Amino acid sequence: MSAGSASAPGSSANLGPGFDVLAIAWEIRCRARVSRADAWLISQDGDSYTPPDGGFVKRAAQAGGAGPFHIEIENDIPRSRGLGSSAAVAAAVAAAAFRAGGAEPSDHELFTIVTGLDGHADNAAAAVYGGLVMVDGQHYARLDVSPQLRFLAAIPDAPLRTAHARAALPDHVSRPAVVRSMARFGFLLRGLQSGDADLLSRARGDEIHEAPRAALSPTTGALIAGALAAGALHACWSGAGPSALAITAVETVEAVTAAMEKVLDGAGRVQQLSIAGEGWR
């Protein structure tokens, strides 16, 4: 029987003011192996089960081949924590299914598939292309990141489903809030490229998605406040949360880590993340 393997990185979307258009890929990966089989079977976390019709993983595999398949998943990305697990799973499984049939998907083809399955083009672009990416739903651009910057994710034990976080968003945003958000976005992009602390500090305090979601996870807000008080250059929700992302200089990594660990108080962990320069592979 033929088989194919692939992996894709996790990611943080939004980064504060980049709601639904900005994401960065991390070198934490979902790995998938897809083998042709007599019946559908998914193996993950030591368990095996028959996937339901219309299930997310099954649809990802069917995007790359008709099946039936045995799908084996090894995922280092925490699920329902705002770190792009769904997009990475979709990319890895779909790509592995293509390879099980002897085909190799193009990046654009895989990006289209993952966007359709996951519903978030920013995470999809990060999973497929890697690095810091900006998207408009159909197109993407890779952006530079200063090598001076370091990235810390504070990952609470308690999950927060993306659908729940999305439902908290208002239908309308005031014009002044949009203007302030556009300014923050510009400062964020230039700050990420240059590593300039003053520019990154001006990107803080998103009103479009972070403020409306604050009540869903007070821990996330406390993590951001703790990171900034300890010297982080910028801190924000990672995707839809509840994880918080802190951007720091080299010399403040330890202090910011300690501050976020204090907030978590044993109910989660802080992890330094490396940018994945390569997406799916």
Side-chain angles (χ1 to χ4, degrees), residues 168-191:
L169 301 182
D171 292 330
H172 302 283
V173 179
S174 71
R175 183 184 301 172
V178 171
V179 172
R180 289 190 294 269
S181 183
M182 292 175 65
R184 292 183 181 108
F185 186 61
F187 289 132
L188 176 65
L189 291 184
R190 188 68 188 113

Side-chain angles (χ1 to χ4, degrees), residues 40-139:
W40 284 94
L41 186 69
I42 296 177
S43 298
Q44 184 176 13
D45 299 331
D47 296 322
S48 294
Y49 63 94
T50 300
D53 289 337
F56 183 80
V57 175
K58 185 174 181 178
R59 287 189 291 122
Q62 288 173 321
F69 294 118
H70 179 198
I71 305 165
E72 300 169 87
I73 297 174
E74 182 183 345
N75 196 356
D76 296 334
I77 308 164
R79 286 176 283 183
S80 297
R81 300 299 194 284
L83 289 165
S85 176
S86 295
V89 169
V93 170
F98 271 105
R99 289 172 170 171
E104 193 75 3
S106 69
D107 287 348
H108 181 70
E109 184 176 18
L110 196 59
F111 171 57
T112 302
I113 289 170
V114 177
T115 300
L117 287 166
D118 181 59
H120 300 98
D122 43 8
N123 289 116
V128 172
Y129 299 108
L132 175 65
V133 289
M134 183 168 57
V135 300
D136 66 1
Q138 296 179 327
H139 309 93

